[in-house]
Structure formats: structure tokens, C-alpha cells
Amino acid sequence: MPELHPILLCGGSGTRLWPLSRKSFPKQFVPLTGETTLFQAAAARMAGTPGVAAPVVVTNSDFRFIVTEQLAHAGIDPGAVLIEPSPRNTAPAILAAALQLLASDPGALMLVMPTDHEIPDREAFRAAVAAGMPQAQAGRIVTFGIRPDRPETGYGWLELSALPESGRAQPLVRFVEKPCAERAAAMLAEGRYLWNAGIFLMSAAALKAAFEAHAPELLAPVAEAVREARADLGFLRLAAGPWEKARDISVDFAVMERADNLDVVPFDGAWSDLGDWNAVWRAAEVQGLATHGAVTTMDCSGSLIWSETEAMHVMGIGLSDTVVVAMPDAVLVADRSRTQEVKEAVAALKQRGARQAEIFPRDHRPWGWFETLALGDRFQVKRIVVHPGAALSLQSHVHRAEHWVVVSGTARVTIDGEARLLTENQSVYVPLGAVHRMENPGRVPVVLIEIQTGSYLGEDDIIRYEDIYARGQGAKG
Amino acid sequence: MPELHPILLCGGSGTRLWPLSRKSFPKQFVPLTGETTLFQAAAARMAGTPGVAAPVVVTNSDFRFIVTEQLAHAGIDPGAVLIEPSPRNTAPAILAAALQLLASDPGALMLVMPTDHEIPDREAFRAAVAAGMPQAQAGRIVTFGIRPDRPETGYGWLELSALPESGRAQPLVRFVEKPCAERAAAMLAEGRYLWNAGIFLMSAAALKAAFEAHAPELLAPVAEAVREARADLGFLRLAAGPWEKARDISVDFAVMERADNLDVVPFDGAWSDLGDWNAVWRAAEVQGLATHGAVTTMDCSGSLIWSETEAMHVMGIGLSDTVVVAMPDAVLVADRSRTQEVKEAVAALKQRGARQAEIFPRDHRPWGWFETLALGDRFQVKRIVVHPGAALSLQSHVHRAEHWVVVSGTARVTIDGEARLLTENQSVYVPLGAVHRMENPGRVPVVLIEIQTGSYLGEDDIIRYEDIYARGQGAKG
């Protein structure tokens, strides 16, 4: 029996859930609906099922350390992490995963999943996948259809030839693009239509054949990008030169809408694409008021009120059909019927040059993360967390000096060649120009407060001498 | 010609403008409508006018250093700052000011003003005061009436015997308590009614006589509290023992509504009590959208959207008649028609034990201020600003050690008897138990970052050895 390889697509960076989801830290990596993130839930969705291999992740360079950190926290070892040199939509990403699998396992089956959707019932999902396995093994492409409960115009739909039977694969008649309200209502009434969840199950060989038949121009550049991929610290970096030549196109447009060997397995479990704040409110399964975190309300209804940190209390009075999302650096307040416009509003914010448009307050790096606590005239205060065993690059700065105070854990600090251990309550001064490195030789995270002083405090004031993560001069630190 | 003494009442602590106004830092001290605070604007309202003395401030112990700091910034020297030992509403406060004035100036005139209202046109106000001076000198009590432009049910009204003439004092027929909507509409239509601004002009002797006639029971305790007042670092602390015996009552109830020697000067200038967020929206003089600070909006109307710090961007989409006020530790989102309920909501928040209900993020002390930047497990990071010439008490802590990093200015630090100067980029460690003091001997503020570590980080872990501000053990620092 061939192995099934989950393919986790997580290179996307939607802004419709701003301010919680940003270009630098998109929604799949945010704990939106519980303790774990949507990406972690997707990675765990098939884990431990007999015949299922370790997942293959396709992401971009900016997210690679978030991916490894979140997989490590979830206790999941990836089969491979493919890095796209630039965004090319889903068709090249899925094709790259298929070709990579075929190189070592010609009979490989693949289950392609977006990682920013919510599917709370894991067992129901596994049952649906099991129902599609015979078709996939027979060379068919299986897609999964969600039973609609409203005339949704924001999704694509799947047309069947007959009323869907739960857990039984049926041939797909055709894809229906996001419909108008009238058409959506008609499809809902007729019953032969399901929502397209964007999840695909098939053999890697069948997928390759579909590309050969319907999007042959993608094969050469993607194959070359895979063949010339470079291993880098556990990541597989697809070759940029050929990759750039691949068309930017979705797998639906490139092959699925043209292929004639598609089946649909109806899925009756709960599902949400969490595509905007209204969908998040709906997924909270409250008819009325959904709150998250430190929130007090009086007489609010039809609303989602979200406080991202305990240190920020949100008070709602007399609100109806309103979304409030509060973070330390940004607050969204929107009419719930207009949350689709958040994307446009974030574009306007970007135009104004506001860093909140794209940058998350907590900045993830290969060695851990940091956040700015205060930014003043000629000074900046950061909280820095260094993972056990991790190390910042050996570096120096032209424009700033730094004070480090360790508040938790033990750090090894090297300044101009002299190393010392620094533990809770100890501090050290890094003069302007000094060549320095910070490492965590211990088994618990190092938490330290950094106070920078100087005339210029940008992240790009950095000269790197050595870096175990192979980053360049002036690149983020 | 007798001198006119402005009396600034600023002991109040309303919560209707939460989260910007809190018990620990109420709205009169907040720059609500411009660069200066409402208190500073009130203090400057008569300053520099011939025949007008330095203002007398009546406040409480918690606000005394905010008062002196804000007056210093505005370049105003107070005639006296009276400290009420406990809140007793306006009647005892105004009587105390009158008795204090009479002790040195039997012919004193007084102009009693709330300090949390907005009167943007200073010249128009001075003209109205000038119009009332002859009456005040003749022993009358002059009140000021605002020409109404809507049937407001939130204010008290003043009934005149005839249609008001601008700038001409006329006898008051009677006070009208906050009316119902119908009565307010009738008064607005009739034209003989003005809003009561709560501003009074009279001789101190006439006021004392009014108390003697209508509220004689207040005279003995207040007179004794003034007689036994204690000078303390430029403040005059009324004696607590007798003060506690004074009734808690407003000057309107105690004497104004019973006196028969009242005149009204109509005031045509703009005026707002900024009594709730709806009033702030109205005072912004926009028909539609009022924003403050880092705010981006799409399609909002009838709304007030307020960001208190540049580091926090607020985005509003499709809002109508909504108030949004965002601060680093609290966010209010309310239907604009229900902003009167903020008070009630804050009471609910207090019940839940949320510190944001009463405590302002920036904590003002006699020597400057501080704010918490981060609070973690066993550590806290603060930004501390020390005014030139100021000094923290000589102190020690039982449960915490402290690191200080100076990022601006020059501090003199004494630790266990050893003093040193610390300037930008320098740091010092204060071990647990060490007796230490921080002073600013320079001419510019000292800005420093303090990192506390320890098992207990409360403000009350403090042992004081010497304090130029005469505060006690365990009291705030």
C-alpha cells in the first residue's frame, strides 16, 4: 500500500484578519480558535494515522523558522520543508511537492491541505480521507466538498451529478466560481452543490499527469527548481532561477478546472476558512456575542470582541454587529458586514507608511523572538527570548550600544573575544562597535531585556561575522 | 479696587471619559482638546488680567503633584494649593477657599471655576466676567449662563425673568434641576433659560454670608479645618479632623439654590462640560467624524475615534455613531448614544478587579513619573522620568533587585552610601536590600529604564529612610 504524504501549504499571507494576521506573521501561525495554531492543527490532522508519512511543508523564506518552531512545539517532525524563492500561488507549490515526492517514492499519494482553515473534528476528516483513498489509488483526483448551510458568495462551489451521500466519492461535474447571491441561493436549494474546501487527494503521478495535460509549461521550470534545490539547515530551498520562470497561478485554474478525472467526497464535519472576521465570529459558534481574552461588555450582540493580551482590557457598550480586535500596536473596529474590506483598509494603511500594516509586534527569528517594549528618542527597549541551544550571529553595530539584562535563564555572551556566562539579575554592556554574540547554552529559554542607545536604531545596522543560520549583512538579525 | 482670585476646583475624579480619565488621573489633567490640559487652560483663563491674583487651587492629596507639575509647565504660580483630606463635594471646598482668602484679604473677590470644562474663547469669557464685576462688588452672587442650542437633559438650567441680553447681568429667577426631554424642549423654545455652567463670581464675604444664612452647619468644621491647616512643601493641608465633620454637599444644594441675591451673566462663547465621550465628539466641531492621533478610517460617520499613542494605530471601517478610545492598557468601544453608561461599565470593571478601572498607565509622583513597559514572571521593566532637581526617597527593597540604565540626562545614584554620576549609556545594579537613592542634579529630565527582578514586585515593597516629599513607609514611591 503506497504511503500518504500530507502536503501543508503555508506560504500565504492574507491580511483579512488584520491586525492579528499580518504579512510578517499570517493567520495560519496564530492561535485563532484554541491553544494551537491553525498550522499546527493542520500538521497534526493526519499525524499518527497508519500509512501516513511525515508532512511536507511548502512555505517561504520568511516563515521557515516559524514553521520549524511551531512543528517542534507540536511534536511533529516534517518529512521536508520546501522553501519557495518567491510567491507563485498554489500550482507551482503543489507541483514542486509532487515532483519532490516522486523522486523517492513513485507510488506516493498526496493530501494537499491549506493550513489556514479550521476543521475541528479530526476523526470525521480522517474518515473522509479514507473514503477517497480507493479513488486516489485508482488515479483519480479527489476533492472534498463541504455541505453548505447558507448561500455563501465568498467560496467556490462544486457541482455534483446527484445529491451527495456522506463519505461516498462521486464524480465532479464542474467547479463553480464564487457565485452571485441569486446563484448561491439556487445552488443551496437544489442540494447538488457543495463548497470547495481546496483540499485534494491523489497520487503524485496522477497530479504530474494532470499538469502534463493541462499546464505543461509549468513542468520544466518547477522540475528544474526541485532538481537544483539546495539543502540549507534542514530546509530545501527551491532554485530561484528556474522558479522565477514558473507562472503565478492557482492549482484550480491551472489543472483542476480542466481535468476530467475528479471525484468529490462530501464532508459533513464543521469547516471554516476563517476568511474574514465575520467567519471567525461565525466559527465561534455563538449566536450573538463572541469574546476572547480580557473583555467586558454591556448589552452587545452579534459582535466579536477580541483582546489579544491580558494587559489590554477591551470594553464594549451597546454594540451590535461589530468586530473589535485589539493588539498592543493596532486596533480594528469594523461593522461586521464589512470585514471583507479589511484587506483594502490595510492596503491604505500601508500606503500611509504605518509599520502595523505588515509587521507583527513580535518578530520571529531562527534563534527565538523579540519585541519592542518602548521606542524613544535615541533609545529602544526590547524583550528578547533565545531558545535553548540557539545563538545570535556574531555581529557588531555602527550606530548603537546595547545593555543586556538577563531576567531568566543563562546566556553565554562574547564581547570582543571575551566570553562570560550571564544569569538572572546580571547585566552586560556592549559598546558601540564591539563584536559580540549571545548564545543560550542551557536547557531553558533565556529572557533578556535589551536597552539600545544611539542615533540610529534600525534592524539593518548590523555587520555579521559568523551566523549558524547563514544570513547576510544588513539582513534581519 | 479689590483683587479677583480665581478658585480652581480640581479634586473631582469622574470616570465617564474612561479610559482616558481615571480615578488616579482624571480628565482635567488630560490634554483632551489640544496641547494643554483642561486644568491648565482653566488656570490660564484669567492669568495676566489686571486686578486678577494668582489662582487658588483646591484639590486632593493624590493630585497635588500633578497640579504643581502642570502649573509649572504652564508657567503659572499658584497663590495657594489647598488639599482636601477627603472628598466633600463643592460646598466645603469653595467655603474653605473663601475663608482662606478672607484671612488675608477681607475685600477679596472670587471666581470659582470647575477645571474640567472647555471654554475655548478666553477673551469672550473675560468680557463676561468683567460684566459681572459690578454686581459682585455690590455683594451679589453672579453665575454664568450658557446659551443653549439643544434640549439638553444632562445639565442644570437657569431661569431668567426676561430674554437674556449678552454681557448684561440679570437677576436669576431660579435653578432648574436636570430636566426631562419635554421640559428641556419647552425651555429651549421659550428662550428665557440658560445652561448652568457652575461658574460663580462674588466677594468672599458675600459667599460666607450665604453659608451663614443657608448652610451654617458647614461653617464651624470648615473654618476649623482652614485655621488648623498645615503647610507642607508649598501645599496647605486642611485639617482632617474637623474636615471629616463637614457635610458632603454641592454648593448649588447648600447655598445657591436658597440664596436670593443671584444674578446671571449670559455667556455666548462656546462651552462644553465634556461630560461624556458624546460631548467630546460634539466639542470637536465636526458634523460627522472626529479622529485623534494615529487613526485610519473607511466610511465612518457620526463617530469619535481616538488613539492615545502614536504606537497604536486604530482602524475604523463602516462605523456610524460609535466611540472608540484606544490606550495601551484599555480600549473602549461604545455606541455614541450610550456613552453615559461608561461610568457604570467602569464600576463593573472595578468589580472584576481590573486595575485599568482606576489606575492610569503613567504614574505621577512628586519627582516625576513612571510607567510599566513589561511585566513578566519575576521581572518588570519600567520607564522612569525624573524632573531636574528632583530626588526619589532614600529607600531599600526586601524582595527585588534593580538595574538602572540611563538613556537620557545625568543622574546621581547613591548605593549603600557611595554616590556616583550616571549619564546616557551607563548603568548600575542595585542589589536586593541595598539602601539607594536616585537624584537628578541636572537641568534636563533624566530618563532611565529600570529592570526589576525578584519574587514580589509590588510598589509597596519599599522601606523609606529619607524623603524630601515626606511620604511614609510602604506608601507609593
Side-chain angles (χ1 to χ4, degrees):
Chain A
M1 172 125 169
E3 265 199 317
L4 175 62
H5 302 260
I7 312 295
L8 305 174
L9 304 179
C10 60
S13 58
T15 58
R16 282 206 183 80
L17 294 191
W18 187 91
L20 209 60
S21 171
R22 306 193 198 176
K23 191 169 176 228
S24 79
F25 202 78
K27 81 178 208 242
Q28 59 268 32
F29 301 121
V30 174
L32 254 180
T33 56
E35 293 284 297
T36 57
T37 68
L38 297 172
F39 170 72
Q40 288 173 318
R45 197 157 284 139
M46 297 301 293
T49 311
V52 173
V56 173
V57 180
V58 188
T59 187
N60 65 45
S61 192
D62 285 350
F63 303 155
R64 69 195 194 280
F65 294 113
I66 306 176
V67 162
T68 50
E69 189 185 334
Q70 294 206 349
L71 288 177
H73 268 115
I76 294 170
D77 244 338
V81 179
L82 275 57
I83 311 284
E84 302 169 280
S86 58
R88 281 292 180 275
N89 211 324
T90 49
I94 294 171
L95 179 57
L99 297 177
Q100 169 67 15
L101 287 177
L102 283 170
S104 58
D105 179 2
L109 295 172
M110 49 200 294
L111 176 66
V112 176
M113 294 187 278
T115 56
D116 59 347
H117 294 180
E118 187 193 33
I119 301 172
D121 187 346
R122 194 189 289 185
E123 291 313 315
F125 180 75
R126 289 177 181 186
V129 171
M133 285 293 273
Q135 274 69 24
Q137 287 172 41
R140 308 276 297 171
I141 295 176
V142 179
T143 180
F144 296 84
I146 312 298
R147 217 175 277 268
D149 59 8
R150 62 181 187 275
E152 176 66 53
T153 58
Y155 304 151
W157 295 57
L158 303 169
E159 180 180 346
L160 305 188
S161 54
L163 289 179
E165 283 181 66
S166 294
R168 295 279 297 270
Q170 296 167 243
L172 174 75
V173 175
R174 69 174 64 86
F175 285 92
V176 181
E177 284 290 292
K178 292 179 182 179
C180 65
E182 199 180 356
R183 176 107 173 82
M187 289 190 289
L188 180 66
E190 208 187 327
R192 278 191 303 116
Y193 297 82
L194 301 172
W195 292 336
N196 180 10
I199 303 169
F200 298 100
L201 171 67
M202 65 242 136
S203 68
L207 186 73
K208 187 184 173 202
F211 273 92
E212 281 164 348
H214 306 295
E217 77 285 1
L218 284 173
L219 273 165
V222 174
E224 196 182 339
V226 172
R227 210 164 41 235
E228 295 182 6
R230 185 169 55 84
D232 169 23
L233 297 169
F235 303 107
L236 194 64
R237 288 186 176 276
L238 299 171
W243 184 262
E244 308 297 338
K245 293 186 196 115
R247 241 172 103 198
D248 183 317
I249 186 169
S250 77
V251 75
D252 291 40
F253 279 119
V255 299
M256 298 304 177
E257 297 187 0
R258 305 172 193 203
D260 58 2
N261 59 334
L262 265 72
D263 288 328
V264 180
V265 172
F267 177 66
D268 290 318
W271 169 90
S272 173
D273 75 336
L274 301 176
D276 59 20
W277 283 113
N278 191 27
V280 175
W281 171 78
R282 202 188 293 114
E285 280 189 15
V286 285
Q287 281 311 314
L289 182 62
T291 69
H292 173 103
V295 171
T296 297
T297 60
M298 281 177 60
D299 246 341
C300 294
S301 63
S303 297
L304 173 70
I305 306 183
W306 188 292
S307 165
E308 183 57 13
T309 112
E310 276 304 310
M312 242 177 125
H313 203 102
V314 180
M315 167 90 73
I317 302 177
L319 303 178
S320 52
D321 302 321
T322 303
V323 168
V324 180
V325 183
M327 297 193 66
D329 66 338
V331 178
L332 170 73
V333 185
D335 186 284
R336 189 164 57 75
S337 71
R338 301 184 61 171
T339 52
Q340 284 282 341
E341 294 168 48
V342 167
K343 187 180 180 172
E344 194 183 324
V346 172
L349 196 61
K350 188 181 169 188
Q351 206 95 60
R352 287 183 58 173
R355 77 187 292 283
Q356 289 96 336
E358 297 196 335
I359 310 296
F360 207 70
R362 192 168 280 192
D363 211 329
H364 288 260
R365 296 301 162 89
W367 43 261
W369 56 265
F370 67 82
E371 63 189 348
T372 296
L373 300 175
L375 185 58
D377 185 31
R378 293 180 53 85
F379 78 94
Q380 177 165 216
V381 184
K382 289 180 175 178
R383 181 201 318 236
I384 298 179
V385 175
V386 185
H387 297 315
L392 281 71
S393 63
L394 184 67
Q395 56 186 240
S396 68
H397 310 293
V398 173
H399 298 292
R400 68 177 188 253
E402 295 172 343
H403 277 89
W404 290 339
V405 181
V406 174
V407 296
S408 176
T410 300
R412 184 190 294 126
V413 175
T414 309
I415 299 174
D416 286 337
E418 190 188 323
R420 76 195 85 175
L421 284 179
L422 224 60
T423 188
E424 183 180 314
N425 249 353
Q426 299 185 320
S427 70
V428 70
Y429 177 62
V430 183
L432 191 150
V435 176
H436 59 283
R437 158 167 276 165
M438 153 90 64
E439 296 161 273
N440 180 354
R443 299 187 176 277
V444 297
V446 165
V447 181
L448 63 104
I449 304 300
E450 175 180 275
I451 296 120
Q452 305 177 343
T453 49
S455 53
Y456 176 77
L457 303 170
E459 286 299 318
D460 55 351
D461 173 17
I462 187 164
I463 300 167
R464 282 216 176 79
Y465 304 94
E466 289 169 31
D467 181 17
I468 61 172
Y469 311 107
R471 295 161 300 166
Q473 301 307 321
K476 300 194 304 176
Chain B
M1 172 126 172
E3 264 200 317
L4 174 63
H5 302 261
I7 312 295
L8 304 173
L9 304 179
C10 59
S13 58
T15 57
R16 283 206 183 81
L17 294 191
W18 185 92
L20 209 60
S21 171
R22 306 194 198 175
K23 192 170 175 230
S24 78
F25 202 78
K27 80 177 209 242
Q28 58 268 31
F29 301 121
V30 174
L32 255 181
T33 56
E35 294 284 299
T36 57
T37 69
L38 297 172
F39 170 71
Q40 287 173 318
R45 197 157 284 141
M46 297 301 293
T49 312
V52 172
V56 173
V57 179
V58 188
T59 187
N60 65 45
S61 192
D62 285 350
F63 302 155
R64 67 194 194 279
F65 295 113
I66 306 176
V67 162
T68 50
E69 189 185 332
Q70 294 207 348
L71 287 176
H73 269 115
I76 295 171
D77 244 338
V81 179
L82 274 58
I83 310 284
E84 302 168 281
S86 59
R88 280 295 181 273
N89 211 323
T90 49
I94 294 171
L95 179 57
L99 298 177
Q100 169 66 15
L101 287 177
L102 284 169
S104 58
D105 179 3
L109 295 172
M110 49 199 294
L111 176 67
V112 176
M113 295 187 278
T115 56
D116 59 347
H117 294 179
E118 188 193 32
I119 301 172
D121 186 347
R122 192 189 290 185
E123 291 313 315
F125 181 76
R126 290 178 180 186
V129 171
M133 285 292 274
Q135 274 69 23
Q137 287 172 42
R140 308 278 296 172
I141 295 176
V142 179
T143 180
F144 296 84
I146 312 296
R147 216 175 278 267
D149 59 9
R150 60 180 188 277
E152 176 67 52
T153 59
Y155 304 151
W157 295 56
L158 304 169
E159 180 180 346
L160 306 188
S161 54
L163 288 180
E165 282 182 66
S166 294
R168 295 279 297 268
Q170 298 167 242
L172 175 75
V173 175
R174 69 175 63 85
F175 285 92
V176 181
E177 283 290 292
K178 290 179 184 180
C180 65
E182 199 180 356
R183 175 105 174 83
M187 289 190 289
L188 179 66
E190 209 188 326
R192 278 191 303 117
Y193 296 82
L194 301 173
W195 292 337
N196 179 10
I199 303 169
F200 298 100
L201 170 68
M202 65 244 137
S203 69
L207 185 74
K208 187 183 172 202
F211 273 92
E212 281 163 349
H214 306 296
E217 77 284 2
L218 284 173
L219 273 165
V222 174
E224 196 182 339
V226 171
R227 211 164 40 235
E228 294 181 7
R230 185 169 55 84
D232 168 24
L233 297 169
F235 303 107
L236 194 64
R237 289 186 176 276
L238 299 171
W243 183 261
E244 307 297 339
K245 294 187 195 116
R247 241 173 102 200
D248 184 316
I249 187 168
S250 78
V251 75
D252 292 39
F253 280 119
V255 299
M256 297 304 178
E257 298 186 358
R258 305 173 192 203
D260 57 3
N261 59 334
L262 265 73
D263 288 328
V264 180
V265 172
F267 176 66
D268 290 319
W271 170 90
S272 172
D273 74 337
L274 300 176
D276 59 20
W277 283 113
N278 192 27
V280 175
W281 172 77
R282 203 188 293 114
E285 281 191 14
V286 284
Q287 280 311 315
L289 181 62
T291 69
H292 174 104
V295 171
T296 297
T297 61
M298 280 177 61
D299 247 339
C300 294
S301 62
S303 296
L304 173 70
I305 305 183
W306 188 292
S307 166
E308 184 56 14
T309 110
E310 275 305 310
M312 241 177 125
H313 203 102
V314 180
M315 167 90 74
I317 301 178
L319 304 177
S320 51
D321 302 321
T322 303
V323 168
V324 180
V325 182
M327 296 193 67
D329 66 338
V331 178
L332 170 73
V333 185
D335 187 284
R336 189 163 58 75
S337 70
R338 302 184 60 170
T339 53
Q340 284 282 340
E341 294 168 49
V342 168
K343 187 179 178 170
E344 195 183 323
V346 172
L349 196 62
K350 187 181 169 187
Q351 206 96 59
R352 287 183 57 173
R355 75 188 294 282
Q356 289 95 336
E358 297 196 335
I359 310 296
F360 207 71
R362 193 169 280 192
D363 211 328
H364 287 261
R365 296 300 162 88
W367 43 260
W369 56 265
F370 68 82
E371 63 189 350
T372 297
L373 300 176
L375 185 59
D377 185 31
R378 293 180 55 84
F379 78 94
Q380 177 165 216
V381 184
K382 288 180 175 178
R383 183 203 315 238
I384 299 179
V385 174
V386 184
H387 297 314
L392 280 71
S393 63
L394 184 67
Q395 57 187 239
S396 68
H397 311 292
V398 173
H399 299 292
R400 68 178 189 254
E402 295 172 343
H403 277 89
W404 291 338
V405 181
V406 174
V407 296
S408 175
T410 301
R412 183 190 294 126
V413 175
T414 308
I415 299 174
D416 286 337
E418 190 188 324
R420 76 196 85 174
L421 283 179
L422 223 61
T423 188
E424 182 180 315
N425 249 353
Q426 299 185 322
S427 69
V428 71
Y429 177 60
V430 183
L432 191 150
V435 176
H436 58 284
R437 159 168 275 165
M438 154 92 62
E439 297 160 273
N440 180 354
R443 299 187 175 278
V444 296
V446 164
V447 181
L448 62 105
I449 304 300
E450 175 180 274
I451 296 119
Q452 305 177 344
T453 49
S455 54
Y456 177 77
L457 303 170
E459 287 298 319
D460 55 352
D461 172 18
I462 187 164
I463 300 167
R464 282 215 177 81
Y465 303 93
E466 290 168 32
D467 182 17
I468 61 172
Y469 311 107
R471 294 162 301 166
Q473 302 306 321
K476 300 194 305 177

